[in-house]
């Protein structure tokens, strides 16, 4: 027998982040309207979560309550002499009055939905002080006779009052409280929320637990898929070799072609990661990468970008304005592919294109192979791991650009490159950026192993 649909309303004062919370819980950046002005949501909106293809939970975003003090006084005046109405009966009587369609129309929408739902999340902006109007709101909402779970939003703000709100909720008999910042939710935030809802809604506890388990499984699958995307990027770049004549102009043109291909390939990976986590490329500025901050906006091949991420660079790169082109100095006369291992061994040669051209001009004849230096591969891995970790922690209500710190990742800065990338150096056919791409079984196995290596470092602790 199918589980009955669980209906839960999000209620509370105006501008406490109810719509923001629903955006994050549904992973939908387009749900409703989010703004800093009060009263943005003026009507009830819904969103469903599915389990095994069937809707199992329906959220309802309701307008903010604005005049709870006056409404509570009005409700008390509705009692007739000798009557002893319970809370839901009193609320239903109010909904039949002209005032419910006039002065208190917005509050009436909230209460109508409350009576129609199994429970409600009372969303609190933890930055706000606890005031009398909030206590009156809770008294009115409690009169609907539905379980209430307070949710402390924006708890990552430096001046939040989460402890004061917990004390206030306890005084009102609400001891189950969840902290869930809709801008930067905790990694286990959904599990905590559904576990506490399961306690309040005992007959739905099994369905809520299965939904929580499903969402956790989806998160693990996204995590694994993200690192598969990054592994694919790194193999494409490591295996990429561009053939060039030995003259300076040809080397400069080929190096420029290689850098452009790598930049575009990284951008493709970034876009795929944003789509995987259901964020939009348009959420970010139109830069070389759709991310903010000096390190991210800087050219992938600029030596300062490498130094800022803690990747060691050679003297030639540190002095010049270009980095990352490793030229096979010993492959004169060899066909593309034969000299790949030689090119990988020469990967430590860092020079500007002009200086490098002068260095080899007159010494060698024939074609050269240009590939990406190991240090640039390290930078690519660091940047993408940093982006994944940021997306894992980003709520879908966030509107500010990503703020990324220098990752604590010495293994990718200084340690040996994984075997998969070393092998990719000798396999030009593994690069989808080349002309003879082959998605072989061996490439698939190496990609999977590299993805596991990339994902092996745990996410930073809360």
């Amino acid at each position: 027998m199918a589980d009955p649909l669980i209906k839960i309303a999000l209620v509370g004062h105006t501008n406490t982040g109810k719509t923001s919370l629903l955006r994050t819980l549904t992973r939908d950046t387009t749900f409703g309207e989010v703004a800093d002005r009060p009263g943005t949501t003026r009507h009830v909106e819904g969103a469903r979560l599915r389990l095994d293809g069937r809707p199992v939970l329906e959220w309802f975003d309701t307008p903010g309550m604005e005049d709870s003090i006056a409404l509570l006084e009005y409700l008390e005046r509705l009692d007739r002499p000798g009557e002893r109405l319970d809370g839901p009966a009193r609320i239903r009587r109010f909904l039949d009055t002209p005032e419910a369609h006039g002065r208190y129309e917005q509050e009436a929408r909230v209460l109508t939905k409350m009576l129609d739902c199994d429970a409600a999340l009372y969303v609190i902006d933890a930055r706000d002080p606890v005031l009398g109007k909030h206590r009156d709101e809770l008294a009115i909402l409690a009169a609907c006779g539905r379980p209430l779970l307070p949710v402390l939003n924006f708890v990552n703000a430096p001046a939040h009052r989460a402890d004061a709100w917990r004390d206030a909720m306890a005084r009102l008999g609400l001891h189950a409280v969840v902290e869930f910042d809709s801008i930067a939710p905790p990694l286990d935030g959904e599990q905590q929320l559904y576990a506490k809802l399961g306690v309040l809604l005992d007959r739905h506890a099994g369905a809520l637990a299965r939904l929580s388990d499903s969402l956790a499984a989806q998160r693990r699958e996204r995590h694994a898929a993200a690192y598969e995307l990054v592994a694919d990027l790194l193999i494409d770049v490591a295996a990429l070799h561009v053939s060039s004549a030995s003259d300076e102009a040809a080397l400069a043109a080929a190096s420029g072609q290689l850098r452009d291909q790598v930049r575009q390939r990284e951008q493709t990976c970034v876009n795929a990661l944003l789509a995987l986590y259901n964020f939009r490329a348009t959420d970010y500025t139109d830069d070389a990468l759709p991310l903010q901050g000096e390190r991210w906006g800087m050219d992938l091949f600029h030596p300062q970008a490498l130094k800022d991420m803690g990747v060691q660079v050679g003297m030639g790169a540190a002095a010049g304005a270009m980095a990352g082109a490793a030229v096979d100095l010993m492959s004169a006369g060899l066909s593309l592919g034969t000299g790949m291992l030689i090119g990988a061994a020469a990967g430590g040669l860092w020079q500007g294109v002009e200086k490098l051209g002068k260095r080899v001009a007159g010494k060698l004849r024939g074609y050269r192979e240009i590939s990406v230096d190991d240090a640039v591969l390290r930078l690519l891995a660091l940047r993408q791991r940093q982006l994944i970790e940021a997306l894992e922690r980003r709520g879908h209500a966030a509107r500010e650009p990503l703020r990324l710190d220098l990752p604590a990742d010495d293994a990718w800065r200084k340690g040996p490159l994984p075997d998969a990338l070393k092998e990719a150096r000798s396999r030009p056919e593994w690069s989808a950026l080349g002309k003879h791409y082959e998605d072989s079984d061996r490439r698939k196995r190496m990609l999977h192993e590299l993805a596991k290596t990339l994902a092996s470092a745990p996410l930073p602790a809360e």
Side-chain angles (χ1 to χ4, degrees):
M1 181 178 177
D3 294 313
L5 183 64
I6 307 166
K7 296 191 288 186
I8 300 178
L10 272 70
V11 299
H13 202 66
T14 58
N15 215 35
T16 57
K18 295 183 291 296
T19 304
S20 295
L21 181 59
L22 263 187
R23 282 190 174 185
T24 297
L25 289 174
T26 60
R27 294 182 176 84
D28 183 356
T29 59
T30 65
F31 180 87
E33 182 183 355
V34 172
D36 292 328
R37 65 183 184 276
T40 304
T41 301
R42 310 301 296 183
H43 57 280
V44 176
E45 296 188 56
R48 287 186 173 186
L49 297 185
R50 296 177 178 272
L51 185 61
D52 298 327
R54 293 181 290 100
V56 64
L57 186 149
E58 188 165 17
W59 297 109
F60 293 97
D61 186 20
T62 66
M65 300 182 71
E66 297 178 339
D67 200 1
S68 57
I69 296 175
L71 176 56
L72 185 60
E73 293 176 355
Y74 179 73
L75 289 174
E76 291 171 349
R77 293 200 302 269
L78 290 179
D79 288 347
R80 297 166 185 166
E83 278 188 332
R84 300 186 64 179
L85 295 177
D86 61 15
R90 180 183 289 177
I91 295 299
R92 289 190 175 91
R93 175 173 288 177
F94 156 69
L95 294 175
D96 289 334
T97 67
E99 293 290 332
H101 305 284
R103 177 180 178 182
Y104 303 115
E105 181 180 11
Q106 190 155 304
E107 286 80 4
R109 290 197 186 106
V110 178
L111 299 174
T112 299
K113 183 51 62 178
M114 274 282 293
L115 292 173
D116 186 50
C117 286
D118 299 288
L121 303 184
Y122 181 69
V123 183
I124 299 164
D125 187 338
R127 300 167 296 185
D128 291 342
V130 183
L131 301 175
K133 63 182 180 181
H134 298 118
R135 297 186 181 92
D136 289 348
E137 279 175 3
L138 283 165
I140 294 168
L141 294 169
C144 293
R146 301 293 184 267
L148 275 173
L149 176 62
V151 177
L152 298 176
N153 199 3
F154 307 121
V155 290
N156 289 325
H160 70 77
R161 298 177 170 89
D163 290 340
W165 277 103
R166 283 184 176 275
D167 289 343
M169 294 301 100
R171 290 173 180 272
L172 294 168
L174 297 169
H175 299 281
V177 178
V178 174
E179 293 188 5
F180 193 106
D181 193 301
S182 58
I183 304 301
L187 296 178
D188 63 346
E190 284 182 326
Q191 291 172 288
Q192 292 184 36
L193 189 148
Y194 287 113
K196 291 189 177 180
L197 274 176
V199 173
L200 295 179
L201 295 172
D202 181 69
R203 67 190 183 95
H204 296 297
L208 289 168
R210 289 192 294 275
L211 178 59
S212 178
D213 291 344
S214 175
L215 292 170
Q218 291 173 33
R219 179 179 175 275
R220 291 191 296 270
E221 290 168 4
R222 278 193 301 274
H223 189 77
Y227 282 108
E228 292 272 342
L229 289 170
V230 176
D232 197 30
L233 161 69
L234 293 174
I235 287 178
D236 272 350
V237 173
L240 175 64
H241 288 69
V242 176
S243 180
S244 170
S246 60
D247 62 277
E248 182 176 343
L251 282 170
S255 182
Q257 175 190 340
L258 178 139
R259 294 198 304 274
D260 287 344
Q261 284 183 285
V262 173
R263 291 187 192 106
Q264 291 170 13
R265 182 63 182 85
E266 186 189 21
Q267 184 66 64
T268 298
C269 182
V270 169
N271 291 341
L273 287 171
L274 292 171
L276 176 66
Y277 285 90
N278 210 22
F279 292 103
R280 299 169 295 185
T282 54
D283 290 339
Y284 307 95
T285 58
D286 186 17
D287 202 345
L289 290 172
L291 303 163
Q292 295 297 303
E294 183 179 355
R295 287 191 300 274
W296 283 85
M298 188 174 289
D299 191 294
L300 175 67
F301 289 89
H302 196 295
Q304 190 62 43
L306 289 147
K307 291 198 294 184
D308 282 350
M309 291 292 274
V311 178
Q312 187 173 359
V313 297
M315 293 303 294
M322 185 278 295
V327 175
D328 178 355
L329 295 179
M330 304 181 67
S331 61
L334 300 181
S335 63
L336 183 62
T338 310
M340 291 302 162
L341 288 173
I342 303 173
L349 178 58
W350 284 78
Q351 295 289 349
V353 169
E354 296 82 6
K355 292 181 180 181
L356 188 140
K358 293 176 181 177
R359 185 172 178 175
V360 298
K363 291 184 179 181
L364 300 170
R365 294 296 182 266
Y367 279 81
R368 306 292 179 262
E369 293 173 359
I370 301 178
S371 60
V372 170
D373 194 276
D374 286 357
V376 173
L377 290 175
R378 296 180 190 279
L379 178 58
L380 279 171
L382 286 166
R383 281 156 70 117
Q384 300 310 306
R385 279 178 51 82
Q386 191 180 23
L387 175 58
I388 290 171
E389 292 179 5
L391 293 175
E392 292 271 345
R393 297 175 177 278
R394 184 176 177 85
H396 287 74
R399 289 180 288 158
E400 294 297 321
L402 283 166
R403 300 187 182 278
L404 304 171
D405 297 322
L406 185 68
D409 204 336
D410 283 343
W412 274 97
R413 287 198 190 96
K414 303 173 183 177
L417 288 180
D419 291 341
L421 291 181
K422 294 177 182 177
E423 183 172 347
R425 289 291 201 190
S426 66
R427 303 267 193 171
E429 70 276 10
W430 281 10
S431 179
L433 303 175
K435 296 179 180 178
H436 306 289
Y437 173 59
E438 295 179 10
D439 190 16
S440 64
D441 290 340
R442 177 69 180 174
R443 185 188 189 279
K444 289 185 176 74
R445 287 197 298 273
M446 290 297 99
L447 187 151
H448 186 61
E449 288 185 15
L450 179 58
K452 289 195 295 185
T453 300
L454 286 161
S456 60
L459 290 173
E462 288 293 322

